[in-house]
Amino acid sequence: MNAFTQEINSCLEVLEKGGLIVYPTDTVWGIGCDATNKEAVEKVYRLKQRPDSKALICLVGNDAMLERIVEKIPETAWDIMDLANKPTTIVYDKPKGVAPNLIAEDNTLAIRVASDKFCRYLINAFKKPIVSTSANIAGEPTPSNFSKITLPILKGVDYVVNLQRDTGDAVSSSIIKLSNDGTVKVIRE
């Protein structure tokens, strides 16, 4: 079994038990868990020392999974995903099938279709969306690479992926809010 497959299997084992992982994404290193497991999502908020009123991002592995967890995807979303020149997270109205504590107070959820090979394989093998939030304590700088993740985060999760650790500095995704009424708002460029 190659290292890539071993890492996927190790992550799957942890995710299926409601545990937390630190893993490489198409943007910065993230803390991840089963996005449908309320207790797992709660562990992420506790680890980040962040109030659960500040919603987390959710990653899906493909368009079909996105369609399963959002009531209605505005046409504009497909255009944005096709035209984006960097990873772009879209905030959708009326998410469904995810942990209730993952959904923001205004009944929205930030979701990105992962473009990173490791993320896509992991999410598609897990068959459920995965939480992705930067691997840092709330209020601390977002770590731009693996070496900048602090010990409390690394010790606070059940598994740390041992791939892609020596990549250069990464940047966070763009975030765009698309309301079902047609409103488009750029939250983070």
Side-chain angles (χ1 to χ4, degrees), residues 4 24-25 29 116-118 146 162-167:
F4 186 89
T25 74
W29 277 74
D116 174 79
K117 178 184 173 189
F118 180 81
F146 181 81
N162 193 17
L163 292 173
Q164 299 169 220
R165 289 188 176 182
D166 56 357
T167 54

Side-chain angles (χ1 to χ4, degrees), residues 128-187:
K128 289 189 259 184
I130 296 177
V131 164
S132 179
T133 181
S134 55
N136 61 307
I137 304 288
E140 291 182 359
T142 298
S144 56
N145 61 50
F146 181 81
S147 66
K148 294 180 180 169
I149 302 172
T150 60
L151 214 49
I153 293 293
L154 295 174
K155 288 187 174 297
V157 299
D158 302 291
Y159 189 74
V160 179
V161 172
N162 193 17
L163 292 173
Q164 299 169 220
R165 289 188 176 182
D166 56 357
T167 54
D169 287 353
V171 293
S172 300
S173 69
S174 299
I175 301 179
I176 298 171
K177 185 172 185 174
L178 288 184
S179 300
N180 286 344
D181 66 6
T183 307
V184 177
K185 180 180 176 191
V186 176
I187 297 173

Side-chain angles (χ1 to χ4, degrees), residues 38-178:
K38 186 178 182 208
E39 290 73 29
V41 171
E42 183 55 44
K43 288 180 196 173
V44 174
Y45 286 121
R46 276 200 309 270
L47 178 60
K48 284 189 67 85
Q49 299 170 25
R50 180 168 154 171
D52 63 9
S53 59
K54 193 159 192 282
L56 304 169
I57 291 174
C58 179
L59 294 183
V60 294
N62 54 53
D63 294 349
M65 189 178 290
L66 173 63
E67 290 172 338
R68 282 199 303 274
I69 65 166
V70 176
E71 193 173 282
K72 177 180 174 243
I73 299 171
E75 279 304 312
T76 319
W78 302 115
D79 295 336
I80 290 170
M81 286 186 274
D82 287 344
L83 299 171
N85 56 7
K86 73 179 247 187
T88 301
T89 302
I90 298 177
V91 180
Y92 295 94
D93 287 340
K94 299 182 181 171
K96 60 184 183 176
V98 296
N101 54 344
L102 192 57
I103 299 170
E105 289 172 354
D106 63 353
N107 197 23
T108 61
L109 179 59
I111 306 169
R112 186 168 70 250
V113 179
S115 57
D116 174 79
K117 178 184 173 189
F118 180 81
C119 280
R120 286 182 95 108
Y121 271 77
L122 176 60
I123 297 164
N124 289 326
F126 189 51
K127 297 180 176 60
K128 289 189 259 184
I130 296 177
V131 164
S132 179
T133 181
S134 55
N136 61 307
I137 304 288
E140 291 182 359
T142 298
S144 56
N145 61 50
F146 181 81
S147 66
K148 294 180 180 169
I149 302 172
T150 60
L151 214 49
I153 293 293
L154 295 174
K155 288 187 174 297
V157 299
D158 302 291
Y159 189 74
V160 179
V161 172
N162 193 17
L163 292 173
Q164 299 169 220
R165 289 188 176 182
D166 56 357
T167 54
D169 287 353
V171 293
S172 300
S173 69
S174 299
I175 301 179
I176 298 171
K177 185 172 185 174
L178 288 184

Side-chain angles (χ1 to χ4, degrees), residues 2-16:
N2 67 26
F4 186 89
T5 306
Q6 273 183 305
E7 291 298 321
I8 295 283
N9 290 341
S10 297
C11 288
L12 289 173
E13 201 174 297
V14 170
L15 292 169
E16 285 162 4

